[in-house]
C-alpha cells in the first residue's frame, strides 16, 4: 500500500533548486558566451547522466567542466579521444570513423569527498 504524500508546492520546488543560481553565477565568472554548454553541463549533472562534449579546440570545453567541478567541489579527470578509436561498452577499444579532436567526458558517477 502506498503512503499518501501531499502535493509539493511551488515554493518547495524553488527552495530545492536554490543552489543552481549560485553555481551558474560562479561558472559564468569564468566561462563567457557558452550558455548552451553550461546549461547542458548542469542538466546532465542534475539528471545523473553522462555527457560527451565534442568540438574544435579553443571552445573552453575543458575549462567549463573544470570550473563546474571546482564550483561543486568534485573531482575532475580529462579523457582525450584518439582519432578513429572509440571506447567500447565493455571497456575495450573499438575502431570507428571519427576525426581527431578534443572530447571531455563528464561521467554520472562523479563523486566528491
Amino acid at each position: 500500500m502506498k503512503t499518501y504524500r501531499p502535493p509539493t508546492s511551488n515554493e518547495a520546488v524553488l527552495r530545492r533548486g536554490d543552489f543552481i543560481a549560485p553555481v551558474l553565477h560562479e561558472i559564468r565568472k569564468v566561462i563567457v558566451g557558452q550558455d548552451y554548454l553550461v546549461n547542458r553541463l548542469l542538466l546532465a549533472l542534475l539528471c545523473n547522466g553522462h555527457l560527451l562534449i565534442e568540438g574544435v579546440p579553443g571552445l573552453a570545453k575543458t575549462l567549463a567542466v573544470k570550473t563546474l567541478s571546482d564550483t561543486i567541489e568534485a573531482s575532475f579527470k580529462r579523457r582525450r579521444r584518439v582519432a578513429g578509436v572509440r571506447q567500447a561498452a565493455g571497456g575495450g577499444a573499438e575502431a570507428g570513423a571519427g576525426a581527431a579532436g578534443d572530447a571531455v567526458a563528464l561521467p554520472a558517477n562523479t563523486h566528491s569527498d
Side-chain angles (χ1 to χ4, degrees), residues 11-105:
E11 289 179 13
V13 172
L14 290 174
R15 274 195 311 274
R16 290 182 185 143
D18 280 348
F19 73 94
I20 294 172
V23 169
L24 279 173
H25 180 72
E26 289 299 315
I27 293 172
R28 289 183 177 147
K29 285 181 183 177
V30 178
I31 305 297
V32 178
Q34 294 284 355
D35 291 337
Y36 185 82
L37 171 63
V38 171
N39 289 338
R40 293 305 180 257
L41 284 172
L42 282 175
L43 184 63
L45 185 70
L46 293 172
C47 294
N48 202 22
H50 294 268
L51 182 64
L52 176 66
I53 305 168
E54 295 181 299
V56 297
L59 292 181
K61 299 175 296 291
T62 303
L63 182 61
V65 177
K66 174 95 173 83
T67 303
L68 174 61
S69 68
D70 289 345
T71 302
I72 63 172
E73 298 176 357
S75 63
F76 168 72
K77 292 181 184 176
R78 181 173 183 208
R79 296 182 184 175
R80 295 204 64 154
R81 185 178 71 167
V82 178
V85 178
R86 291 185 303 213
Q87 195 69 19
E94 134 185 333
D102 291 336
V104 180

